[in-house]
Amino acid sequence: MILDSETHEIVRGFFETKVLQISTNPMFKLTSGKESPVYLDHRKIFSNVSLRKKIITKWAEFLKTEFPFMFDSGNVVFAGTATAGIAPAYALAEYFNAGFVYVRSKPKQHGLTSVIEGTLPSNSNIFVIDDMITTGGSVIQAVDYIKMEPIKSVVASSISTHNLKKSSDFFNSKHIVYKSLFKTTDLFDIAYAKDFINGREMKLIMEWLTQLDE
């Protein structure tokens, strides 16, 4: 990824809209019960028109560059993971005038017991979309469901990733290609250069990321 001026402005926007927050004393308490000096809430992106447009435009260009073969047939569908991937997948589908579905974490217990909501045409090229890839579990589960359908190709993408070795190993073991728009280490580097993060905070964040990959 090229860390251009636009990316710097996006990082500024992340802090201004509290998409990205830092707290080291006390740290954030996550749903897992673990503590984190970083809190990333990508959902806030889609409440802010300016930031949303910047992200979706940059992400769309990124996908066209990284996966040009996915757009060859014109039969492209963006599949959002439930629930965090729904908004970004729909926004990308609108940008490309493409199809949209979302993938439940498990089949419905009533009606048609669907796991994929929406219409998934045969022989489509599918982008499975999430907001954040940490371990990759929810994305891989969604890809597994998508692969049960008569599709052509599937790749995965997210706005951000911690780029952990264990998540990369997980994707490789499943033979799933994925690429994220941003690595959080790049975002933290920009934030540090712009004085949004001080030296002590940066040190704690890097230590925390190392612990995540253990």
Side-chain angles (χ1 to χ4, degrees), residues 7 22 49 53 61 76-77 80 89 97 123 136 157 164 180-181 194:
T7 304
I22 308 296
V49 176
K53 286 182 176 179
E61 292 302 316
V76 179
V77 176
N97 196 29
N123 208 36
S157 187
L164 304 178
S180 298
L181 179 60
K194 295 286 186 180

Side-chain angles (χ1 to χ4, degrees), residues 176-191:
I176 297 171
V177 176
Y178 86 98
K179 289 193 176 181
S180 298
L181 179 60
F182 300 124
K183 296 176 184 176
T184 54
T185 48
D186 291 333
L187 301 182
F188 299 144
D189 283 343
I190 292 171

Side-chain angles (χ1 to χ4, degrees), residues 102-119:
Y102 74 87
V103 187
R104 291 178 174 271
S105 57
K106 59 183 179 180
K108 285 193 297 189
Q109 299 303 306
H110 56 278
L112 299 177
T113 66
S114 305
V115 68
I116 299 173
E117 297 290 1
T119 301

Side-chain angles (χ1 to χ4, degrees), residues 98-159:
F100 164 77
V101 299
Y102 74 87
V103 187
R104 291 178 174 271
S105 57
K106 59 183 179 180
K108 285 193 297 189
Q109 299 303 306
H110 56 278
L112 299 177
T113 66
S114 305
V115 68
I116 299 173
E117 297 290 1
T119 301
L120 191 62
S122 298
N123 208 36
S124 298
N125 290 326
I126 314 297
F127 285 98
V128 173
I129 299 296
D130 206 346
D131 64 341
M132 175 76 188
I133 290 177
T134 304
T135 62
S138 59
V139 173
I140 288 171
Q141 182 184 60
V143 171
D144 286 342
Y145 281 128
I146 291 287
K147 283 183 172 180
M148 294 178 185
E149 304 298 320
I151 62 166
K152 183 177 180 181
S153 302
V154 59
V155 299
S157 187
S158 68
I159 300 169

Side-chain angles (χ1 to χ4, degrees), residues 2-14 58 182 186 189-191 193-194 196:
I2 298 174
L3 302 179
D4 52 22
S5 59
E6 187 178 29
T7 304
H8 285 241
E9 284 304 306
I10 287 171
V11 172
R12 180 183 296 277
F14 278 4
K58 193 169 189 63
F182 300 124
D186 291 333
D189 283 343
I190 292 171
K194 295 286 186 180
F196 298 135

Side-chain angles (χ1 to χ4, degrees), residues 8 41 46 172:
H8 285 241
D41 187 357
F46 299 93
N172 289 337

Side-chain angles (χ1 to χ4, degrees), residues 27 32 38 53 63 66 75 99 107 110 114 117 132 138 145 156 163 170 179 194 198 210:
M27 291 190 184
S32 63
V38 174
K53 286 182 176 179
L63 293 176
E66 295 293 330
N75 199 11
H110 56 278
S114 305
E117 297 290 1
M132 175 76 188
S138 59
Y145 281 128
N163 201 36
F170 193 13
K179 289 193 176 181
K194 295 286 186 180
N198 63 39
T210 300

